[in-house]
Amino acid sequence: MIDLAQTYEKAGLFLAEGEMPDYLPVVLEFVSTQPPREARAFLGEMAHIFNAIFGALQQRNSAYASVLGALLELAGEKAQPVKPPAEAAAGRDLGRAAGLRRLLDPGPGPARTSRSRSTWSARPALQPGASA
């Protein structure tokens, strides 16, 4: 997770105190700022985690499985559900299966809004058609 936080900082994303770098909204916020090739590669590195979440959501017949399927496609991967361990399938501790809880829930702290608590350094946003 230290490497992930350092990757964000190099790009100008500074996480708030206690904010986990592997929290899915933070990951997606970072990816949204990257050029397509780098974004795809970054998502591809996390494909095994996305597949585990995808499989767990499919087992629960959750419509959110399609969101993870879309992330996998953006990463250039095929959505292939990973069967969680028996205890996770029984619903006793889904969070331990592939670290899902930490990825989806940052833990205790103030209630989240639609935006992450992370902050970006002052750098102008690229406009469509502009070059970097």
Side-chain angles (χ1 to χ4, degrees), residues 51-110:
N51 264 319
I53 298 169
F54 176 73
L57 291 171
Q58 272 196 327
Q59 273 193 323
R60 293 176 170 219
N61 295 318
S62 172
Y64 293 108
S66 61
V67 174
L68 277 295
L71 279 177
L72 286 160
E73 294 220 2
L74 286 172
E77 302 286 332
K78 184 175 182 337
Q80 300 172 339
V82 175
K83 197 164 194 132
E87 68 177 27
R92 281 183 253 133
D93 190 7
L94 184 58
R96 277 199 311 203
L100 300 181
R101 180 171 290 138
R102 191 176 69 237
L103 186 66
L104 296 172
D105 179 8

Side-chain angles (χ1 to χ4, degrees), residues 10-55:
K10 285 179 187 174
L13 172 65
F14 298 93
L15 300 176
E17 175 119 7
E19 190 165 37
M20 302 299 288
D22 60 348
Y23 179 51
L24 188 56
V26 172
V27 171
L28 298 179
E29 185 173 343
F30 169 74
V31 167
S32 74
T33 67
Q34 300 304 297
R37 178 173 284 152
E38 286 83 359
R40 178 175 278 215
F42 190 82
L43 290 173
E45 291 176 22
M46 302 181 121
H48 64 288
I49 297 169
F50 296 150
N51 264 319
I53 298 169
F54 176 73

